[in-house]
Amino acid sequence: MQSIMNTYGRLPVTFTAGSGSWVTDTEGRQYLDALSGIAVCGLGHAHPAVTQAIQEQAGQLIHTSNLYGISRQKELADALTNVSGMDNVFFSNSGAEANEAAIKMARKYGHQKGIHDPVIIVMTKAFHGRTMATLTATGNAKVQEGFGPLLSGFVRVPFMDLATLTAVAKANPNTVAVMLEPVQGEGGLATADADYLQGVRSLCDDLNLLMILDEIQTGNGRTGSYFCYQQFGFLPDVVTTAKGLGNGVPIGACLARGKAAEILQPGNHGSTYGGNPLACAAGVAVVNTIVNEKLSENAARMGDYLRAALRERLGQHPLFSEIRGRGLMIGVVLKQECPQLMAAALEKGILLNVTSGNVIRLLPPLNISEGEADKIVSLVGELVEALA
Ligand SMILES: *Cc1c(COP(=O)(O)O)cnc(C)c1O
């Protein structure tokens, strides 16, 4: 029996080192990383600012506990509220935990209003995590299968359908929140447009619901602004993030604003590790680097560059359907399933991922160069051509 529990379908490769957009395997072979550990290493591998921050913090103080003040946590909370327009932050260790905090906030918000059976509206094809509450919120039967009974208090509507969302929210007086991703990273890169997101914001205002945005994957510069919602001129009540926030050091955050910022009170929620000095030192280095090196802007520019080049390369191919996403969150949608493509990509020396069966997902580092982007385009082009 293998000593690691068999929860992942892994490719037969192991990496020992990384630098920028490149990783090296145990045989010394180099691969172009167009996945960034699933949108985690946005600054690239072994970014000196993060390495130095972790090294210095490890030599000083790694952990005390949230029983005491944590100056690095305050520093990261200040940086995040500054960059986001939100009021305050709860720190967790992962994305799912950040969403758990958001879900608990929505439920308590309901109870405060006298709604003791609160309902959160979630979306088809959503992905919010693997804990019991977040897998209930997730719109994927495969993620849920075998883990019933799921939680009550979630109702699902079609993504990008404002009319149905409005009707469902108005029909149920127990509705307390709407939870959605601006770009569905696991759900095939379906991308919400400005009208829809602004419509959800207005609906939440009209009905006094919390608008919860899951920016675990879209946040931290990935889609061309620090958070994706910043491209649309509104603020959510709650936004969660994780992945790119620590560049590989586990950390998650649940940011709140206005009335939502005062829901959780001492004793309501907590985490032993959440926001510890080591994780927050990494987070501070990441936020400062994204802002100072204008990496959101680079993600917007390189995302446009990659999308145009991919369309040029693949647009006429019979298997090509469309390109989705925002910034450096890119989905190349094919007309047929292509699960074999991940292993084929590995052979060609590029790391990428296939989601929703037929969508090639590209999440390269935010500071990727034009030369590296060109290489992604030519390798993805060859991979698609080899499928036919
Ligand atoms: C990855 C992801 C999560 C879960 O984050 P974990 O850190 O794996 O718990 C939740 N929501 C979205 C949109 C994600 O991309």
Side-chain angles (χ1 to χ4, degrees):
M1 164 124 16
Q2 297 280 328
S3 59
I4 296 176
M5 202 175 283
N6 191 24
T7 56
Y8 303 99
R10 298 177 197 267
L11 291 168
V13 66
T14 300
F15 302 109
T16 52
S19 176
S21 306
W22 297 84
V23 289
T24 308
D25 74 6
T26 45
E27 312 298 311
R29 182 168 180 212
Q30 291 215 307
Y31 301 78
L32 179 55
D33 189 355
L35 193 60
S36 308
I38 317 184
V40 168
C41 301
L43 310 191
H45 296 281
H47 191 285
V50 179
T51 303
Q52 190 190 346
I54 299 169
Q55 283 175 340
E56 282 178 6
Q57 192 62 48
Q60 198 180 335
L61 185 69
I62 291 179
H63 179 85
T64 49
S65 114
N66 285 303
L67 294 171
Y68 312 103
I70 300 174
S71 58
R72 282 274 182 253
Q73 192 179 113
K74 169 85 169 65
E75 212 182 318
L76 181 55
D78 287 345
L80 280 172
T81 51
N82 265 334
V83 82
S84 67
M86 303 296 283
D87 289 334
N88 61 15
V89 192
F90 172 83
F91 288 107
S92 64
N93 313 291
S94 68
E97 283 176 82
N99 283 340
E100 286 279 340
I103 291 165
K104 284 179 71 174
M105 283 167 61
R107 286 186 164 198
K108 183 153 186 258
Y109 174 68
H111 287 275
Q112 284 172 346
K113 294 203 289 183
I115 298 172
H116 298 297
D117 224 345
V119 165
I120 300 172
I121 301 180
V122 292
M123 302 294 150
T124 50
K125 291 212 162 191
F127 183 81
H128 296 299
R130 301 282 196 157
T131 62
M132 281 312 306
T134 60
L135 83 83
T136 301
T138 291
N140 180 339
K142 270 196 233 148
V143 170
Q144 298 173 336
E145 200 179 287
F147 299 109
L150 302 181
L151 272 66
S152 59
F154 292 89
V155 167
R156 196 169 308 284
V157 299
F159 186 52
M160 284 286 285
D161 177 349
L162 192 58
T164 303
L165 171 64
T166 304
V168 168
K170 286 189 171 161
N172 190 342
N174 287 341
T175 306
V176 293
V178 179
M179 181 173 186
L180 73 163
E181 301 151 87
V183 181
Q184 294 188 319
E186 309 298 307
L189 281 293
T191 304
D193 61 28
D195 283 351
Y196 175 72
L197 289 171
Q198 288 158 355
V200 175
R201 176 66 278 180
S202 303
L203 177 70
C204 289
D205 288 338
D206 291 348
L207 302 184
N208 251 314
L209 312 177
L210 296 183
M211 180 179 187
I212 303 174
L213 278 185
D214 179 342
E215 294 230 25
I216 287 165
Q217 192 163 151
T218 52
N220 309 295
R222 177 59 52 190
T223 66
S225 46
Y226 195 90
F227 285 109
C228 189
Y229 65 78
Q230 293 172 306
Q231 295 168 45
F232 308 110
F234 68 85
L235 292 169
D237 300 294
V238 179
V239 59
T240 56
T241 195
K243 291 198 167 84
L245 180 56
N247 213 54
V249 178
I251 184 168
C254 176
L255 290 80
R257 183 180 64 87
K259 57 187 187 286
E262 290 169 59
I263 296 168
L264 295 180
Q265 293 298 320
N268 286 158
H269 197 47
S271 163
T272 298
Y273 294 130
N276 90 2
L278 187 74
C280 288
V284 168
V286 167
V287 178
N288 288 340
T289 303
I290 290 174
V291 172
N292 296 338
E293 297 184 4
K294 298 201 179 339
L295 294 185
S296 302
E297 291 83 345
N298 198 59
R301 192 175 66 83
M302 292 310 297
D304 288 345
Y305 180 86
L306 264 168
R307 254 182 285 277
L310 285 163
R311 206 168 277 125
E312 169 91 33
R313 173 71 194 245
L314 288 169
Q316 303 307 315
H317 194 277
L319 286 182
F320 176 82
S321 174
E322 60 168 325
I323 293 180
R324 293 183 189 150
R326 280 189 199 287
L328 282 176
M329 198 166 169
I330 299 174
V332 181
V333 186
L334 300 185
K335 288 182 180 146
Q336 70 175 41
E337 305 260 308
C338 54
Q340 70 277 38
L341 209 128
M342 268 188 80
L346 198 65
E347 300 231 315
K348 277 207 180 288
I350 181 170
L351 309 185
L352 49 72
N353 167 249
V354 175
T355 175
S356 275
N358 65 329
V359 183
I360 304 170
R361 179 166 55 166
L362 302 170
L363 300 162
L366 307 179
N367 49 16
I368 189 167
S369 69
E370 275 188 19
E372 289 163 344
D374 291 341
K375 187 146 181 107
I376 292 176
V377 174
S378 75
L379 290 172
V380 169
E382 288 170 26
L383 283 161
V384 173
E385 281 153 12
L387 276 176

